[in-house]
Amino acid sequence: MAQKFDPETNSWFFYGKIKDALGIQRQYKKRGFPTKKAAKKAEIEFRENAIAPPAKITMFALEEEFIAWMKRQITESSINSYHYLFDRINARFGDIPPTAITSQLLQLYIDELDEKYSKKYVQRIYYALKKLFDYAVDRDYLQVNPIVKVKPNARKNELHKEMSFWEPEEFDRFIQVVDHKMYRIMFSILYYMGIRKGELLALRPSDVNLEQRTIDIKRSYYSRIRKITMPKTKNSIRTITMPDKLCMMMAEWMGQLKASPRWSKDCFLFGITEPVSAETLRRYFKEYIALAGVKEIRIHDLRHSHASYLINNMTDDYTVYDIAKRLGDRVDTVLSTYAHWFKAADRRLVDSMNRNMDNKQSAASGAVSSSYGELRELKELLDIGIITTEEFSMKKKQILGL
């Protein structure tokens, strides 16, 4: 045990070495104490806690503590995502103390996941572990974060999977075979409004304004725990306008709902007492895809299809900001997610400019050729004596605009 004064910060710090619960010698140092007495007291408490708590706490208990702390900082839907990831992590490490988990163990675990799951999913597991161990270090359960030395597979040779979406013609083919009125309007909302599945399932009649032709998005439904949560981000809370065709479908659907004895403005728009099951929605979606004979996409890809339509039909009437606002995303998220579509739209814009310039140039060339022809005819008339020199000069000025 040792305490020293730091003249640069005008405060005291303590430092030393200690064996952890596994008998491994580790160094420690903590700064920022106003007096030597405070530093000494803190060091005694640190040395007591450095051995006892880590030996008792398990990864499962650490995860519960971490989640309780995170609830004050992130939305409920994000918390639920952490629960989902930690369920998988705890299946392997739940009963093990954090101090017993090494970088080598974690590397083996991440390598196993890399063999089975997508790069994106493995990254989510990796960053959930990093956050958890960062918390453990901050709480002095660990001296260092063991995952910082772990490297997920970069998969540089893996082909980039193109984003799936439907062109308008494909959606038209699909929706024509959807004979169930509720699912027909649900799929239409997802395609024409670009909202998320959870946002759709959480809709209530009170969120729909038929006079203004708008829908308010202000909550989401988390199917895994069957619970209403706040939307994904602050940007997700928005009011968006329905196309006329969709508004007519919505008016008809709400008229049908009102005939139900269980109807109220606060019931669910699709399900009344509780939202339609996400799995049921997915099952119907796949069945209708097979019936229509269009390429298979996920329900979430209807959102991408909406974004594709907006980007590929951009005019001066709206901007990328308007697209982001409608989707409930930030502008930078839209630009990064759909970067390849914006490049294509940019090329089409330049092609249009080139066509316009070519047309103007052709028109100008045509005008010059026409003027030249008229002058040649006038010269011939002058040469054979049909018009005078004065008449030729006057006509020439008219043709050339002089």
Side-chain angles (χ1 to χ4, degrees):
M1 292 177 60
Q3 305 86 39
K4 280 192 176 182
F5 181 77
D6 184 357
E8 291 185 7
T9 60
N10 196 31
S11 62
W12 289 80
F13 67 93
F14 64 81
Y15 66 98
K17 294 182 179 180
I18 192 170
K19 287 185 178 180
D20 64 18
L22 298 178
I24 300 172
Q25 188 91 331
R26 300 185 184 276
Q27 293 183 337
Y28 63 85
K29 181 187 285 188
K30 297 288 179 180
R31 300 178 180 274
F33 300 96
T35 63
K36 181 176 182 179
K37 184 178 180 180
K40 186 174 182 178
K41 181 181 178 182
E43 185 175 14
I44 292 171
E45 292 177 352
F46 170 80
R47 289 180 67 87
E48 290 175 350
N49 292 330
I51 297 176
K56 296 176 182 178
I57 197 169
T58 62
M59 282 288 285
F60 182 79
L62 177 64
E63 175 255 314
E64 286 191 324
E65 186 179 317
F66 171 72
I67 289 291
W69 177 72
M70 286 293 286
K71 281 182 177 178
R72 296 172 290 178
Q73 304 178 58
I74 59 177
T75 64
E76 189 172 1
S77 60
S78 297
I79 289 293
N80 291 329
S81 295
Y82 270 115
H83 275 306
Y84 171 67
L85 296 172
F86 284 137
D87 283 346
R88 177 168 293 281
I89 293 168
N90 284 329
R92 172 67 66 88
F93 300 115
D95 296 327
I96 302 174
T99 49
I101 297 176
T102 64
S103 297
Q104 291 83 356
L105 277 177
L106 291 171
Q107 185 67 69
L108 288 172
Y109 178 60
I110 294 297
D111 288 345
E112 287 178 17
L113 295 178
D114 268 321
E115 293 292 326
K116 298 178 182 178
Y117 303 106
S118 69
K119 180 179 178 180
K120 186 175 181 180
Y121 180 68
V122 176
Q123 286 176 337
R124 289 177 64 198
I125 294 283
Y126 178 90
Y127 287 112
L129 282 166
K130 185 178 184 304
K131 285 271 190 182
L132 181 66
F133 287 127
D134 281 343
Y135 174 84
V137 172
D138 289 341
R139 292 297 186 274
D140 294 324
Y141 292 144
L142 295 172
Q143 293 296 306
V144 294
N145 186 333
I147 206 166
V148 295
K149 294 182 179 180
V150 176
K151 305 298 179 186
N153 189 337
R155 307 193 195 188
K156 292 184 178 180
N157 295 324
E158 186 175 86
L159 292 175
H160 175 70
K161 187 178 180 182
E162 290 293 329
M163 186 179 289
S164 296
F165 66 97
W166 278 341
E167 297 287 356
E169 298 78 16
E170 292 174 293
F171 179 75
D172 288 343
R173 283 173 55 193
F174 165 79
I175 206 66
Q176 284 174 10
V177 305
V178 180
D179 53 2
H180 192 295
K181 186 175 290 185
M182 182 180 72
Y183 292 114
R184 184 181 179 87
I185 190 170
M186 290 179 81
F187 296 139
S188 295
I189 290 173
L190 290 169
Y191 180 79
Y192 288 117
M193 305 294 277
I195 66 176
R196 302 174 179 92
K197 179 177 64 179
E199 295 169 344
L200 171 75
L201 297 177
L203 286 177
R204 302 179 187 275
S206 56
D207 298 325
V208 181
N209 187 325
L210 293 174
E211 289 185 7
Q212 297 295 323
R213 298 187 297 118
T214 59
I215 295 179
D216 292 334
I217 307 297
K218 50 192 176 184
R219 66 185 77 84
S220 187
Y221 182 71
Y222 197 71
S223 302
R224 191 169 284 110
I225 59 172
R226 300 172 68 180
K227 187 175 180 181
I228 295 291
T229 65
M230 289 294 290
K232 189 175 181 180
T233 65
K234 290 181 180 179
N235 292 328
S236 299
I237 301 174
R238 61 204 189 277
T239 299
I240 49 180
T241 306
M242 293 179 281
D244 292 343
K245 180 179 179 180
L246 183 60
C247 191
M248 291 173 62
M249 293 172 65
M250 183 67 79
E252 184 180 348
W253 175 248
M254 289 184 67
Q256 182 175 322
L257 272 186
K258 287 180 181 179
S260 170
R262 295 178 296 172
W263 181 88
S264 73
K265 285 190 175 181
D266 294 322
C267 71
F268 289 104
L269 195 58
F270 304 108
I272 299 187
T273 55
E274 66 176 278
V276 171
S277 161
E279 178 56 31
T280 301
L281 183 66
R282 188 190 68 82
R283 178 166 50 82
Y284 271 95
F285 188 58
K286 291 192 70 173
E287 288 177 2
Y288 285 125
I289 284 175
L291 190 60
V294 292
K295 72 170 177 276
E296 188 169 344
I297 63 172
R298 304 167 304 163
I299 286 180
H300 187 73
D301 292 327
L302 290 173
R303 176 175 167 84
H304 295 325
S305 301
H306 183 68
S308 169
Y309 179 84
L310 295 179
I311 293 167
N312 288 312
N313 290 278
M314 280 186 70
T315 65
D316 293 337
D317 295 333
Y318 61 91
T319 66
V320 179
Y321 172 79
D322 298 314
I323 295 175
K325 189 174 180 181
R326 186 169 178 84
L327 293 174
D329 275 328
R330 299 192 310 269
V331 171
D332 60 335
T333 302
V334 171
L335 288 173
S336 61
T337 303
Y338 306 111
H340 56 299
W341 287 340
F342 278 105
K343 288 178 182 177
D346 182 62
R347 284 193 295 271
R348 287 193 301 275
L349 185 149
V350 172
D351 289 342
S352 177
M353 289 172 61
N354 288 335
R355 285 194 299 272
N356 289 335
M357 286 189 285
D358 288 343
N359 291 338
K360 288 179 180 179
Q361 188 174 359
S362 297
S365 298
V368 170
S369 298
S370 176
S371 299
Y372 178 74
E374 288 186 55
L375 286 172
R376 187 173 57 188
E377 290 176 2
L378 282 173
K379 183 65 168 63
E380 290 176 356
L381 292 175
L382 175 64
D383 291 340
I384 61 177
I386 294 178
I387 62 173
T388 65
T389 303
E390 290 77 15
E391 288 175 326
F392 175 78
S393 297
M394 184 177 64
K395 288 288 185 181
K396 178 181 176 181
K397 288 179 180 180
Q398 289 177 350
I399 292 170
L400 296 178
L402 300 175

